[in-house]
Structure formats: structure tokens, C-alpha cells
Amino acid sequence: MAEPRVAEVDNSGRLTHQQIMLILSGLLLGMFLAALDQTIVSAAMRTIADRLNGQTNQAWATTAYLVTSTVSTPLYGKLSDMYGRKKFYLFAISIFLVGSMLSGMANSMEELAAFRAVQGLGAGGLMALAFAIIGDIVPPRERARYQGYFMAVFGISSVAGPVLGGLLAGQDRLLGFDGWRWVFYVNLPIGIVALAVVSRFLNIPHLRQEHKVDYLGAITLVLGVTSLLLVAEQGRTWGWGSGKSVTYYVLGAVLLVAFLIIERRVGDEAILPMKMFRSPVFNVASLMNFILGMGMFGGIICLPLYMQIVKGFSPTKAGLSLLPMMVGIMTVSMASGIITARTGRYKIFPIVGTGVLIAALLGLSRISYTTDYAVLVPLMLMLGAGLGCCMQTLVLATQNAVPPSQMGVATASATFFRSMGGTFGTAIFLTIFFSGAATHITGNVQAASQTPQFQAALRDPANGLIARALRAMAGGSTSQLNDTSFLQHGAMVLREPFLAGFAESMDRVFLVAAFVVLPAFILSFFLKEVKLRMESGLEAQAAERAAAASAVAGNPAPQADERTAAQLGTGTGNDRTAAQLGAGSDGRDR
């Protein structure tokens, strides 16, 4: 029997359902690789940090991954617009696998952070390019037909990730290696299959166009964002007003201003073309993505820590305990996609989503170390529902607001702003969490140490491990927070100061996250609802080439500026006019 293959795309640029599904199979494997890694590492991070004696430095491992994945995302988008998606998607998978292998070999938190940075370089292209390719082959109004497959990937990874993360991290040894190292090694077989499938089936037409790569803009962006992240991460150690912190503030700000100047000068060659910001839809959606990224990561990152440190759940149980949030994301995202496909309306979802998200974060800011898990379930469902209303809708609005020839850079920009917000949110909220935990725990220990019950338990030899940690905390040391495994032993009266301190610090994080998301709720009312196109990116580019050919034959097509106004304005133009924005004034696919 002949092997399945992707047939040649006809002149209209339309793909059959079978062709789309073959391409989609490769995209889903790549997305599964990235989605599984996020959930599996999140569930195992507490155990990994304890094994590497770096609980208070765990933010580096998370932040390094987010930094590199964030700053590489715009490059993937721009270069794939110029030279095609397939080669860069294969490159992203390959780099991700190299980073996974190195992360499994780490022997310190510093090494893990460095290797996670390599992994992030690959992850930056996995999600952004997958959504860009879907934008190429499926019209906005029809994407809900295929959205269920993406949600299934996130659903499977949300279940498999925590279970695998907890199971692997809980093993002392597995096939000759520490169990936690398999949290990263498990990516290798999945990634090899993804490489094979993508190589075979991801074949969509692309006419290569030569452009200059904006290397100077990329360098200033990387250095500027990294400078600000360093001070966000180390500010509590250096002192927020110290000379070192101020130096990084100024350096980051200067580099980002230089980046904006460079982007304006290079015009269409820019990593983030400034003309995209002429669209009010793109502006509002980008700012909302940044804000939601901060609030989302700020809220999500503390939940696994709460389940493991405060509730004492195993990594597996902690991961499974987050399923209500994943259910909320999946069901609401699918429902919003179906409604959008039927009605063409989408503005209501970010409004409702941000409002529900704020309510969930405010509810989580009231929990304590004695809060029952049943109380957390509806709050996590609300958190997931709020995110589900916003995530895909904002990407859809961004893609619909730009010319099809800029599908890659626009999709990458949406991912970039969300990831950049998440990167800052992770660094800032973990800093708030651990600095607040140290303060609260120290105060709680000093207060509890005055009671007879506490003193009696402190003298009991059975409580020796936690007693040593308590004496050190009473003396002002916080190094015990590097490894919180001692909280699994000892009398409750001795553990309560720690558990209460961690819970109180998490309350502050959730409260700050709620106020961070508030501006996104206000902005959602200003998001213009541009009419969704009925053509895919490939169809629109084919129409553009046909229009250019018609113009050469003496039947001029509408001017590019007129099409730009129709696309980037209020959406009053017809679908064909909006979609034919094409690749630019020369009419070629870029």
C-alpha cells in the first residue's frame, strides 16, 4: 500500500481535510513535547530542587527557560516568514532535545538553569510556529473545527505530565540514573518521533524571499530583557535600591529603547515590524497578552508549591490535584472556539475571562495552610476557565489583524508578549514568595517558641531534624528553605510555623497577581472585534499572486494601501479584500 503523503496544494491555496490532518499530526507531536515538558517539570521541581540543594534558587531554572524561549520566539516567527516554517520547526525540536539531554545530566541548580536555557531556545519555536502554520492552512472562522485536537494535546499532557513527573521524581534510581533525571530524558523518544513525522508530512508551499536578518535588534532585545530579569530575580539579594540593581535597571531600559529605535529604522526587516502597532487590535491584544502572562504564571507557579510544601502532597498527587484548572482551560477554550466559529464574535470572551481570572485569584489569596482541598477545586476551575476564555481568542484576534504574509511574526509576537509577561511574572512572584516566606516563618517561629508545647516538642529527640531547622530560623538563617523535605517529619506544633508562613506568603502572591490582571480586564473592553476572514493564509497569498498576475495583464487589483486599511481598520471591508493583503506591494509570498 502506498505511503500517505501530502498532495500538492492547488492554485487556490486551499487544503483538503486529509492534508490538514497530516500536517496537524506533526504539529501536535511538537506541541505535545513542549506542553508535556512544562507540566512534568512543574510537578517535579520541588523534588529536583531538594536533590540539587537549591530550593531558593529554583527560580533560575524556570526563569532561564522562559528567558530563552521568550527572546527566541520573534526570531522564529520572522525567519519562518522569510524562509518557510518546516526547517525552523525541525530546528526547534532538535535544540529542545539537546537541552533535554543536558538538563538530565545536571549536577547543580546552576547547571540545570544553563541547560534549561538551551531547552528554551527550542521551545520558543514549538508553540509559536505550530499556531502560525495553523494560521497558514486554516481560515480563522474554521479553526474551531481543529481546536479540539490542540485542546486534547494540552489535556493529555496536563494529566500525563504530573503523573510522570511525580512518578519519575519519586524514584531513587531508574535504569541506572536518578529518577528525577528521567523527567528530562523522557522527552527524547517523543522528540525523535516528532522529528520523523514533521520531516515526512509538514510540506506546505513557500516562495523564499531574501531579506536582511535583524541581528542588531535581536541582540539588543536579548540583552535588554535579560538585564531586567536578572535584577527581578536577584533584587532581594542585592537590594532593590542598591547600585548594582540600579545599574541593571538603567542598562535594561537603555537597551530596550535602543531596540525600539533599531526596529523603527529597519522597517519591514525588523523582528517586530513597527507598522503592526498601527493596528489597535494588535496593540490591545499584545498588551493583554503581556499582562495575562504575568498573572497566569504568577498564579500557576505557586499552586504546585502550595500542594507539595503546605499540603504535603507527593509530586504525583500535587500534579493530579491541579486537574480542575486544566479541565477549566480545556472545556472553556473549546467552547469559546466553537461559539466563535458559529457566530464570528469573540470580544466577549476576554472580558469574561479576565473577570473570572481576577475573582479566582482573589479567592486563592484567602487560603491558609488548613484550607480543605475541596475549597480549592472551584477556585482552580475558575482560574482555568478564565485562562481558557483568553488564550486562543487573543491569538486569533492578533492573526486576524495582520496581513497573511506576516502570519509568522504576528503569531510569534503574541507568544512573545505572553511569554515575556510570564518570565517577569515568574521571577517577580517567586521573589515575593520566598522573601515573604522567610519573613513570615521567622516571625511565626519566634512567636511559637514561647509556648510550652513548642518547647517540649523541640526537646524531643524524635523531632531532631526539624528542631535544627527551627533553631537556625530563630537565629535569622534562611538557608533551610533550600531543602524543605524536613517538613515531612516532626510534630505538627513544630511544622505549623513553616506551613503557615508559606501559606501566608502565597496569599500575597495571589493578591498581587489579581491586581496585575485588573488592567487587562479594563483593556478587554477596548479590543476591537474585526470581522474574521473566511480564507486561510495560503489562500489569501494565492489570491494576492493572482491579483498581481491580473495587474500585469492589464486588470489592476486594489492598491495595497487600500487593502491594508481594510484589514487593519475596523473590519468593514469584505473577507476577500481583507485576506488579499498578501505578501506586500510586489505581490509575492514572503
Side-chain angles (χ1 to χ4, degrees), residues 96-141:
F96 186 87
L97 294 183
V98 171
S100 297
M101 183 175 64
L102 292 173
S103 295
M105 299 167 61
N107 292 310
S108 68
M109 189 57 71
E110 290 75 18
E111 287 186 5
L112 181 61
F115 298 148
R116 287 282 283 168
V118 175
Q119 202 178 17
L121 289 174
L126 292 178
M127 290 290 185
L129 292 182
F131 285 115
I133 292 167
I134 286 297
D136 286 337
I137 63 178
V138 181
R141 281 288 293 268

Side-chain angles (χ1 to χ4, degrees), residues 31-112:
M31 291 187 67
F32 181 70
L33 194 66
L36 179 67
D37 181 77
Q38 291 177 5
T39 55
I40 196 173
V41 173
S42 176
M45 183 53 73
R46 186 261 179 110
T47 300
I48 295 172
D50 283 345
R51 296 291 178 87
L52 295 178
N53 195 33
Q55 193 66 243
T56 56
N57 290 327
Q58 70 164 277
W60 280 111
T62 305
T63 302
Y65 178 91
L66 289 173
V67 168
T68 53
S69 64
T70 298
V71 298
S72 63
T73 295
L75 273 175
Y76 279 112
K78 182 65 176 181
L79 292 174
S80 69
D81 277 343
M82 293 163 55
Y83 304 119
R85 314 273 189 231
K86 180 175 181 176
K87 63 185 69 175
F88 290 101
Y89 203 60
L90 291 172
F91 176 79
I93 295 174
S94 300
I95 292 297
F96 186 87
L97 294 183
V98 171
S100 297
M101 183 175 64
L102 292 173
S103 295
M105 299 167 61
N107 292 310
S108 68
M109 189 57 71
E110 290 75 18
E111 287 186 5
L112 181 61

Side-chain angles (χ1 to χ4, degrees), residues 350-555:
I351 295 174
V352 174
T354 51
V356 172
L357 188 58
I358 291 171
L361 290 169
L362 288 175
L364 288 169
S365 71
R366 306 288 296 177
I367 64 176
S368 69
Y369 77 98
T370 59
T371 301
D372 191 81
Y373 176 73
V375 176
L376 299 175
V377 170
L379 294 174
M380 288 190 288
L381 276 170
M382 290 173 61
L383 188 67
L387 294 173
C389 275
C390 300
M391 290 171 64
Q392 298 302 319
T393 303
L394 291 177
V395 173
L396 178 65
T398 300
Q399 290 179 329
N400 193 61
V402 300
S405 62
Q406 294 180 349
M407 185 72 69
V409 71
T411 306
S413 297
T415 305
F416 168 75
F417 286 115
R418 184 171 63 243
S419 297
M420 191 164 67
T423 305
F424 283 109
T426 297
I428 292 170
F429 287 128
L430 280 178
T431 299
I432 293 173
F433 170 66
F434 280 110
S435 61
T439 301
H440 288 300
I441 291 171
T442 300
N444 291 344
V445 169
Q446 291 173 348
S449 63
Q450 308 301 316
T451 63
Q453 297 90 341
F454 187 92
Q455 290 298 327
L458 200 61
R459 291 190 294 269
D460 188 342
N463 298 322
L465 186 62
I466 192 170
R468 286 192 293 273
L470 282 164
R471 293 189 182 98
M473 291 292 295
S477 172
T478 60
S479 62
Q480 291 70 31
L481 300 183
N482 281 321
D483 184 351
T484 58
S485 58
F486 66 85
L487 290 176
Q488 300 171 12
H489 313 282
M492 178 55 73
V493 69
L494 299 182
R495 289 190 287 145
E496 280 182 346
F498 287 95
L499 301 179
F502 277 121
E504 289 162 2
S505 184
M506 289 174 186
D507 286 348
R508 181 190 297 180
V509 170
F510 290 128
L511 183 61
V512 173
F515 281 101
V516 166
V517 176
L518 182 59
F521 175 68
I522 297 172
L523 281 170
S524 64
F525 288 93
F526 296 93
L527 182 67
K528 282 189 176 183
E529 195 171 61
V530 178
K531 186 177 181 180
L532 295 176
R533 294 193 298 263
M534 298 298 292
E535 293 175 310
S536 69
L538 290 178
E539 289 178 277
Q541 290 175 1
E544 176 67 18
R545 288 192 293 271
S550 177
V552 171
N555 300 310

Side-chain angles (χ1 to χ4, degrees), residues 32 35-36 38-40 43 151-167 315-327 330:
F32 181 70
L36 179 67
Q38 291 177 5
T39 55
I40 196 173
M151 292 304 102
V153 165
F154 285 110
I156 293 170
S157 65
S158 69
V159 175
V163 173
L164 280 174
L167 179 65
T316 303
K317 188 176 180 180
L320 291 173
S321 70
L322 301 181
L323 282 178
M325 182 176 67
M326 301 305 173
V327 169
M330 288 174 54

